């Protein structure tokens, strides 16, 4: 295997090497060591941006002594203020520092500390955007022409803010459904995202050509084997037209039908093929107790009680068309204006803790033990995540922290030198 690889690819460059699976990286180290004369291995990446636990911890310390280690110091992306911030965040980890282009503006980075008892977080975040517009003099922070990328630590935080939580949350709780839900391949939802939603949007626009195209490609009513069995094909086409109108009638008078209502209508009209898992949902079949399929059925039942409009918001998110992204998923991307939302109480995670990073929460005995033994802690992981999120901003940055200890966090970030007093607003 080594001979085949070295013979085919004598030079191998691995991008995002800090997040490449550690066993794979170690195997490439071995190949390079045993084939020094014929094989060159290059790792491209930034260890400060390692956000997945599968990556090799301490990769920079694992490099062979004879390796060259060039570094990229010029940051072509961000404004001077953003670069100063990420340099300060990084200073606690290593000595790598970046410099800005001389033609970059100073720009802005602001920290907003909000009481975590706040109920209407969307309204608060809108107020922060308006405040950033005033601070920066940039109208693209607020109003009809707003163009902001909002970063949250968890997918369900985005689902709440982007109005598809009822659809998303029940499915996200089932481990077997997570991957398909997040990458858009979940068969139970593709019926709606790939067929029904484009059909309804085409009807709304009066695009009958698009409607017929969708039906012709995807409906069993117009499959060649179905039409061959039909004596009068004109009548068959008329039947399809009536079925589409019947489905579209669910949206009459600005109605927003539930996914389950839409599913039942599709079943009655035989307009699209329905996956087996949804057939079980329609029949409300109960399998053996504690069977994982039961958990899936219960999750689908809850999810499909949500309004159909949430499908559009969900599809925009998974396709990257929304203005929301996770701290992890945004790595490698860049935006003019970035709003980073930090809320440990809403995130529900154990891998990250911004309260600990900012000094608002005491370290656990496990944290102390890990620090003493040189092992990675949740603070290390959170610092890197914060670095990634903040470094996405090209021009201006707003960091919103929901907390019960605003004064402690303010004192902590002032001590670290991350923000100065005039850049911190306690709301």
């Amino acid at each position: 295997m080594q001979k085949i690889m070295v013979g085919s690819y004598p030079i191998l460059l691995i991008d995002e090497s800090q997040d490449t699976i550690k066993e794979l990286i170690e195997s490439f180290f071995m190949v390079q060591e045993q084939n020094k004369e014929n094989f060159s291995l290059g790792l491209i990446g930034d260890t400060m941006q390692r956000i997945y636990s599968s990556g090799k911890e301490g990769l920079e310390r694992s490099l062979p002594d004879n390796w060259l280690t060039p570094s990229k110091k010029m940051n072509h992306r961000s404004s001077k203020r953003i670069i100063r911030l990420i340099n300060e965040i990084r200073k606690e980890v290593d000595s790598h520092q970046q410099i800005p282009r001389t033609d970059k503006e100073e720009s802005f980075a602001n920290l907003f500390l909000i009481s975590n008892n706040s109920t209407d977080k969307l309204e608060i975040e809108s107020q922060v955007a308006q405040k950033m517009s005033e601070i920066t003099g940039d109208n693209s922070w607020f109003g009809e022409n707003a163009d902001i990328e909002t970063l949250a630590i968890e997918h369900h935080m985005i689902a709440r803010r982007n109005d598809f939580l009822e659809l998303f949350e029940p499915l996200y709780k089932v481990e077997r459904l997570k991957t398909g839900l997040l990458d858009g391949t979940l068969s139970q939802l593709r019926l709606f995202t790939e067929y029904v939603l484009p059909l309804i949007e085409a009807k709304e626009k009066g695009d009958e050509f698009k409607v017929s195209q969708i039906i012709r490609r995807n409906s069993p009513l117009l499959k060649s084997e179905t039409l061959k069995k039909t004596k009068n094909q004109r009548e068959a086409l008329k039947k399809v037209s009536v079925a589409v109108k019947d489905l579209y009638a669910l949206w009459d008078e600005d109605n927003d039908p539930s996914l389950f209502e839409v599913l039942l209508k599709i079943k009655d009209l035989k307009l699209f093929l329905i996956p087996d898992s949804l057939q079980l949902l329609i029949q409300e079949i109960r399998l053996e107790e504690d069977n994982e399929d039961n958990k899936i059925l219960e999750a689908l039942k809850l999810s499909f009680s949500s309004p159909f409009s949430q499908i559009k918001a969900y599809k925009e998110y998974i396709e990257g068309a929304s203005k929301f992204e996770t701290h992890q998923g945004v790595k490698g991307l860049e935006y003019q204006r970035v709003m980073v939302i930090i809320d440990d109480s809403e995130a529900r995670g154990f891998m990250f803790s911004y309260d600990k990073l900012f000094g608002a929460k005491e370290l656990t005995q496990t944290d102390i033990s890990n620090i003493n033994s040189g092992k990675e802690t949740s603070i290390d992981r959170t610092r890197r995540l914060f670095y990634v999120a903040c470094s996405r901003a090209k021009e201006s940055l707003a960091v919103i922290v929901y907390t019960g200890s605003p004064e402690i966090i303010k004192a902590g970030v002032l001590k670290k030198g991350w923000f100065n007093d005039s850049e911190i607003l306690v709301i």
Side-chain angles (χ1 to χ4, degrees), residues 384-401:
R384 292 198 302 267
L385 196 64
F386 189 48
Y387 180 92
V388 169
C390 292
S391 61
R392 300 308 95 197
K394 295 173 69 175
E395 293 300 328
S396 49
L397 171 72
V399 178
I400 298 176
V401 181

Side-chain angles (χ1 to χ4, degrees), residues 116-366:
N116 57 10
N117 295 322
S118 305
T119 53
D120 194 345
K121 293 179 179 178
L122 279 174
E123 174 59 27
I124 286 169
E125 287 152 24
S126 176
Q127 291 175 17
V128 168
Q130 186 173 12
K131 186 66 178 175
M132 283 298 293
S133 180
E134 295 170 7
I135 292 170
T136 62
D138 181 356
N139 292 331
S140 293
W141 263 103
F142 184 75
E144 290 183 3
N145 299 318
D147 184 16
I148 312 164
E149 190 70 17
T150 301
L151 311 182
I153 195 168
E154 289 284 352
H155 294 284
H156 67 266
M157 291 171 66
I158 295 173
R160 178 176 288 111
R161 286 163 174 82
N162 218 13
D163 201 22
F164 61 94
L165 185 66
E166 293 87 353
L167 163 73
F168 183 86
E169 193 167 40
L171 304 178
Y172 189 71
K173 289 179 179 177
V174 181
E175 196 62 37
R176 222 166 85 189
L177 302 180
K178 263 188 184 181
T179 300
L181 178 67
L182 294 176
D183 66 16
T185 60
L186 194 65
S187 61
Q188 293 93 331
L189 292 185
R190 287 191 68 194
L191 170 66
F192 300 99
T193 58
E194 301 300 315
Y195 305 146
V196 183
L197 179 61
L199 178 67
I200 298 307
E201 289 180 332
K203 285 294 288 183
E204 286 174 346
K205 295 173 183 175
D207 189 346
E208 293 301 325
F209 176 78
K210 182 71 173 176
V211 169
S212 64
Q213 191 179 51
I214 293 168
I215 296 297
R216 192 167 60 250
R217 288 178 177 174
N218 306 298
S219 176
L221 295 177
L222 288 184
K223 292 296 181 186
S224 57
E225 54 268 27
T226 304
L227 292 176
K228 285 176 184 177
K229 297 176 184 177
T230 306
K231 293 180 180 180
N232 190 333
Q233 292 195 3
R234 183 171 291 182
E235 282 300 314
L237 293 172
K238 186 177 179 181
K239 181 181 177 182
V240 171
S241 180
V242 170
V244 171
K245 288 179 182 177
D246 198 357
L247 174 66
Y248 189 55
L250 289 175
W251 282 264
D252 283 353
E253 298 179 358
D254 294 325
N255 190 30
D256 192 2
S258 71
L259 291 177
F260 195 69
E261 288 177 297
V262 175
L263 179 65
L264 290 178
K265 179 63 74 173
I266 290 170
K267 176 184 177 294
D268 291 341
L269 297 172
K270 298 182 175 61
L271 200 54
F272 298 112
L273 291 175
I274 296 175
D276 291 342
S277 55
L278 294 185
Q279 295 283 4
L280 292 176
L281 177 66
I282 292 170
Q283 297 167 35
E284 293 192 350
I285 292 175
R286 182 72 184 173
L287 304 172
E288 293 178 14
E289 290 298 321
D290 298 325
N291 189 304
E292 191 176 11
D293 288 332
N294 273 337
K295 295 178 182 177
I296 292 175
L297 284 172
E298 290 303 313
L300 287 169
K301 192 179 294 185
L302 286 171
S303 178
F304 278 36
S305 65
S306 61
F308 184 84
S309 57
Q310 294 198 10
I311 277 287
K312 183 176 182 179
Y314 161 73
K315 186 178 182 182
E316 287 177 348
Y317 175 56
I318 61 171
E319 291 183 347
S322 75
K323 289 296 181 180
F324 293 86
E325 190 45 277
T326 59
H327 295 194
Q328 299 95 321
V330 81
K331 188 176 69 167
L333 303 177
E334 57 184 44
Y335 309 95
Q336 294 293 118
R337 299 156 210 86
V338 171
M339 178 183 287
V340 178
I341 298 175
I342 293 170
D343 189 347
D344 279 357
S345 63
E346 195 178 355
R348 313 174 196 174
F350 63 91
M351 294 288 287
F352 307 102
S353 175
Y354 278 100
D355 279 341
K356 289 180 184 177
L357 178 66
F358 294 145
K361 188 176 181 179
E362 294 292 328
L363 299 182
T364 65
Q365 203 58 45
T366 302

